Amino acid sequence: MHEVQEKKEKKPIILSGIQPTGIFTLGNYIGAIRNWVQLQEDYDTAYMIADLHALTVRQDPKVLRENILRAYAVILACGVDPEKSLTFIQSQVPEHAQLSWILSCNTQFGELSRMTQFKDKSAKHADNINAGLFTYPSLMAADILLYQADLVPVGADQSQHLELTRDIATRFNGLYGNTFKLPQGYYPKVGARVMSLADPTKKMSKSDENQNAFITILDEPGTIVKKFKRAVTDSEMSVRYAEGKDGINNLMSIYSSVTGLTYEQIEHDFAGKGYGDFKQAVGEAVAEELRPVRENYKRLREDKAYLEACYRAGAEKASHVARRTLQKVYKKCGLIL
Ligand code: TRP
């Protein structure tokens, strides 16, 4: 986001975030981070590690610190380029917490109570239903509105929060005059949802107790192939995309999104072959796709100074952009910045 370039050609702004909770999966890669990398070419992009969001559930400080650094290194390893995108750690840009408070004061209790993620998470963490868990969507709204984002790539589970962001922005604009751009969701067409290898009716999740249910971005090739070999399929023995064949559909979707082959091409290539051959091919293709990511990651983690220089510079640049919006908001609310 160079000042000069911004004036010459205004590209639409994209912002997205990912929580640094545990290691990222193939689902995060195909469904999110890989798209972030492609979007950098045609948009003004901002990507952040949403560590403040992670605090809404209890974290071990040592583990969290490690996860934040690892998440930051992983997105760089995947190809997010700090020269092209604002690439930062949320908590290092204080404007997020500042705007979040003001937006909380413009968000209704009733609205927050209706968020399905709040209901799910408070059921799951019944011993820690904290205020942050409740106001989480106001923080997410701040993330998005600070950068005047046009488009926000999110999974379906976040679309309700994005809708609320628009409602908050609309309300604020109505009360105080035009301040925030209204963001829209950006939902990638292919490979949006990678399913569990152990239960293909469920989304692939890094918190699954069964280690064979998910592939992590940093898994070794042998592990990747082994996990695909164990993937749950059906008893039909024909590689084709069809209703009721959730396991095979998932493998075809993964294979298609890493090789670029269509379902028809895949069906043709594997006609008459067994699931064993197909699983082997999917495993090898995924291992190959993730090879450079794994290698880049190893190199980046060894270069602490470089990594730190990146996130410090990223936070400074992000803060510069965010501050312009915060300044407007302060003024409109009658605060003095
Ligand atoms: N809440 C998102 C999630 O859990 C992460 C996130 C935080 C985010 N802030 C954001 C995503 C802003 C998009 C835009 O997946």
Side-chain angles (χ1 to χ4, degrees):
M1 274 201 187
H2 297 291
E3 210 79 53
V4 188
Q5 185 192 333
E6 208 182 343
K7 276 188 197 115
K8 261 195 268 166
E9 30 152 352
K10 273 238 176 225
K11 297 178 187 169
I13 298 167
I14 289 219
L15 176 132
S16 199
I18 190 162
Q19 289 197 45
T21 42
I23 190 116
F24 297 151
T25 66
L26 180 65
N28 299 121
Y29 177 76
I30 293 177
I33 306 169
R34 199 177 59 158
N35 297 315
W36 292 8
V37 174
Q38 283 165 1
L39 293 167
Q40 325 183 84
E41 307 307 327
D42 300 320
Y43 297 90
D44 259 339
T45 39
Y47 299 126
M48 57 167 211
I49 305 303
D51 55 348
L52 294 176
H53 278 97
L55 289 179
T56 56
V57 300
R58 255 179 220 121
Q59 300 283 346
D60 174 329
K62 269 208 208 94
V63 175
L64 180 61
R65 188 172 300 119
E66 171 64 19
N67 280 342
I68 294 168
L69 293 172
R70 187 158 66 174
Y72 192 86
V74 164
I75 65 171
L76 295 198
C78 289
V80 169
D81 178 351
E83 296 294 323
K84 293 183 185 158
S85 302
L86 287 177
T87 313
F88 61 97
I89 298 170
Q90 183 186 31
S91 63
Q92 299 193 330
V93 182
E95 287 80 4
H96 291 249
Q98 290 175 294
L99 181 61
S100 161
W101 174 254
I102 297 174
L103 296 183
S104 287
C105 298
N106 286 278
T107 309
Q108 298 303 306
F109 180 86
E111 289 176 311
L112 292 170
S113 316
R114 283 193 287 278
M115 295 294 113
T116 53
Q117 194 181 73
F118 171 69
K119 291 189 228 170
D120 292 348
K121 284 203 178 171
S122 40
K124 204 167 147 199
H125 305 276
D127 59 334
N128 183 23
I129 307 177
N130 61 78
L133 194 64
F134 190 62
T135 58
Y136 173 120
S138 311
L139 176 60
M140 183 159 157
D143 301 336
I144 297 166
L145 299 176
L146 275 174
Y147 299 89
Q148 305 287 353
D150 296 277
L151 294 169
V152 182
V154 279
D157 61 327
Q158 297 296 320
S159 62
Q160 203 185 18
H161 294 159
L162 191 59
E163 221 26 70
L164 181 57
T165 300
R166 291 168 57 86
D167 292 343
I168 298 170
T170 306
R171 178 172 313 132
F172 193 97
N173 288 347
L175 280 169
Y176 297 100
N178 209 15
T179 312
F180 298 124
K181 200 183 283 171
L182 294 192
Q184 273 174 3
Y186 182 91
Y187 304 96
K189 282 150 242 100
V190 283
R193 233 166 119 77
V194 175
M195 311 305 280
S196 155
L197 299 184
D199 176 359
T201 60
K202 278 191 344 203
K203 198 173 144 181
M204 182 180 283
S205 161
K206 57 198 165 207
S207 48
D208 204 308
E209 276 158 34
N210 180 353
Q211 295 287 319
N212 287 319
F214 60 93
I215 305 285
T216 84
I217 292 187
L218 302 174
D219 275 347
E220 294 293 333
T223 311
I224 296 177
V225 171
K226 205 170 68 201
K227 286 182 180 175
F228 275 108
K229 284 265 181 189
R230 293 195 181 139
V232 169
T233 47
D234 54 66
S235 52
E236 197 195 66
M237 295 292 286
S238 89
V239 178
R240 60 187 184 89
Y241 199 95
E243 206 174 314
K245 290 172 70 73
D246 296 324
I248 287 296
N249 294 351
N250 186 37
L251 297 186
M252 284 181 72
S253 161
I254 293 170
Y255 194 58
S256 166
S257 62
V258 298
T259 59
L261 294 170
T262 64
Y263 290 161
E264 292 76 49
Q265 285 168 320
I266 298 171
E267 284 170 10
H268 176 264
D269 291 353
F270 288 90
K273 294 193 185 150
Y275 286 168
D277 290 341
F278 181 51
K279 288 174 170 180
Q280 178 79 26
V282 180
E284 284 172 9
V286 169
E288 195 51 35
E289 170 85 13
L290 294 177
R291 192 171 49 83
V293 175
R294 212 166 35 244
E295 288 170 1
N296 290 339
Y297 176 79
K298 282 196 188 125
R299 217 182 41 245
L300 282 162
R301 279 315 300 266
E302 278 159 22
D303 197 347
K304 264 193 176 161
Y306 172 75
L307 210 58
E308 177 165 357
C310 283
Y311 63 70
R312 297 248 178 255
E316 205 169 305
K317 282 192 247 173
S319 174
H320 182 79
V321 178
R323 195 142 182 99
R324 282 194 296 222
T325 301
L326 189 69
Q327 206 138 23
K328 272 199 220 165
V329 170
Y330 262 51
K331 209 166 154 194
K332 301 216 168 179
C333 295
L335 301 175
I336 301 149
L337 190 65

